[in-house]
Amino acid sequence: MSTEEEKLIETAMNQLAFSYAPYSDFKVGAAIETMDGEIYGGCNIENAAFGPGNCAERTAIFKAVSEGKRHFKRIAIVGGKAGCVRDYCPPCGVCRQVMREFCSPNFQIILAKNSKDYKVMTLNELFPESFGPDQLA
């Protein structure tokens, strides 16, 4: 594993501490890397009304976009009950759609249990035949 991947996964793991998940107790951390090497972290944020909550992946993406970043290289995602990561934590459908808005089909999604146990997939593998900005061009 490269030092960059390890740093990205560790950033995602560190985001678990900031997760606000009082209802599900399922904590998720994410870290997205821009094409110029900047890293933005995110955690899931639940809400008593459920719908207004936000996933870790979208939190990281929205943080980056709100600071002018629009081009991304990869994202690392970790998660588990009570913040204990035991298995891979793939992004939900809404997060995949948001990734499709800002990322290429070859965008890398790193699903990690820790910095040594992970797998890398592309957005196209997780979200084939997706609807995106190019359909509206």
Side-chain angles (χ1 to χ4, degrees), residues 6-76:
E6 195 170 275
K7 181 179 179 185
L8 197 64
I9 293 167
E10 287 175 4
T11 301
M13 296 291 280
N14 290 337
Q15 289 297 306
L16 292 170
F18 303 113
S19 172
Y20 178 74
Y23 308 105
S24 72
D25 197 31
F26 194 90
K27 298 176 182 239
V28 181
I32 191 163
E33 181 181 0
T34 64
M35 292 304 269
D36 58 3
E38 290 187 56
I39 295 176
Y40 292 83
C43 64
N44 59 321
I45 304 166
E46 294 182 347
N47 186 285
F50 296 111
N54 201 46
C55 297
E57 300 91 313
R58 285 182 283 144
T59 299
I61 293 167
F62 294 161
K63 280 172 66 175
V65 169
S66 73
E67 293 188 23
K69 302 299 178 178
R70 301 285 190 281
H71 305 286
F72 302 102
K73 184 176 181 179
R74 57 189 164 188
I75 191 168

